[in-house]
Amino acid sequence: MLSHERIWRAIDRLAEAHDLTPSGLAKRAGLDSTTFNKSKRFASDGRARWPSTESLSKIIEATGASLREFTNLVDGAGGNYTQSITSADAGLAEPSRPYHMTLRDVPVVGMAQAGGGGFFDDAGFPAGQGWDQVQLPGADADNNTYALEITGDSMLPLYREGDVVIVSPTASVRKGDRVVAKTIDGEVMAKILKRKTPTSIELSSINSDYEDRSFAITDIEWMARILWASQ
């Protein structure tokens, strides 16, 4: 049964699985750091407050979990990535069943490397061998997914210098998505897709100190969608 206690416990367990506090999980998902604080879970008159579906969607995306994996946590699964859920844990009269979150190694590329020649092909895929590796949780990403280490502060406070974002050159990109784009001049930037037309692309920054950027479509060598971030 879905209950107020179980949904908040699942959020806490998802945070723990990624070595985060509830506040850290909120920040990783681009939410206010107090979103999941204990004080937010009940109103001043004692009424239960529930997290929004939007905030749940964002933390699932930010951690690379699937909806099934999160609902397993709601049902009572604990631990990090591999867990047996018993009928007692889930409160169900069912046999034990395995709970498993897949881990996969993906290459890690620095933004300076991404801007240099010879490190990527024309479609935005890392070229060659010998890259550092990072483990990607979740089984939903395609085989072309890779990791990019952030430099600069144009996406503060969402992404900081040294954060690693997981990107997919093959994922569809829509208005409002977080993206990494490379220009034909070799500039690589993490931005938000503000607008895309057949002839132009507009990108915006989270950090208000940075102005929006506009490019002719022919000036963008490739653009990849950010799936989630690992701080």
Side-chain angles (χ1 to χ4, degrees), residues 129-225:
Q129 305 292 326
W131 300 104
D132 290 336
Q133 302 283 317
V134 65
Q135 286 191 316
L136 169 65
D140 296 331
D142 60 62
N143 291 330
N144 297 307
T145 299
Y146 63 92
L148 190 68
E149 186 174 348
I150 294 292
T151 57
D153 58 0
S154 69
M155 292 291 279
L156 284 173
L158 188 58
Y159 304 136
R160 294 171 171 78
E161 180 110 10
D163 287 349
V164 173
V165 295
I166 307 301
V167 303
S168 172
T170 57
S172 59
V173 179
R174 299 179 297 273
K175 178 181 177 181
D177 283 344
R178 302 161 193 170
V179 298
V180 173
K182 180 183 178 183
T183 70
I184 58 174
D185 294 329
E187 183 180 4
V188 178
M189 64 201 82
K191 300 288 184 184
I192 294 174
L193 180 60
K194 184 177 180 180
R195 187 167 179 261
K196 182 179 180 181
T197 73
T199 59
S200 66
I201 288 177
E202 296 180 24
L203 304 173
S204 61
S205 303
I206 291 290
N207 191 334
S208 60
D209 290 338
Y210 289 78
E211 296 181 351
D212 293 351
R213 304 284 301 275
S214 296
F215 299 92
I217 197 77
T218 53
D219 289 336
I220 298 295
E221 185 172 323
W222 52 258
M223 184 166 61
R225 181 183 167 196

Side-chain angles (χ1 to χ4, degrees), residues 3 7 31 50 59 105 122 136-137 154 187 215-216 223 226:
S3 69
I7 198 75
L31 301 169
W50 292 68
I59 62 173
D105 288 335
D122 292 340
L136 169 65
S154 69
E187 183 180 4
F215 299 92
M223 184 166 61
I226 297 175

Side-chain angles (χ1 to χ4, degrees), residues 4 7-8 10-12 14-15 22-37 40-41 49-67 70 74 158 178:
H4 178 264
I7 198 75
W8 282 111
I11 291 171
D12 290 339
L14 185 63
S23 177
L25 177 62
K27 288 191 290 185
R28 174 181 289 191
L31 301 169
D32 184 276
S33 62
T34 65
T35 300
F36 302 132
N37 283 7
K40 297 282 189 177
R41 303 182 185 190
R49 282 178 172 168
W50 292 68
S52 69
T53 53
E54 180 183 11
S55 63
L56 293 180
S57 175
K58 286 185 175 181
I59 62 173
I60 289 171
E61 180 183 3
T63 57
S66 68
L67 180 60
F70 184 76
V74 174
L158 188 58
R178 302 161 193 170

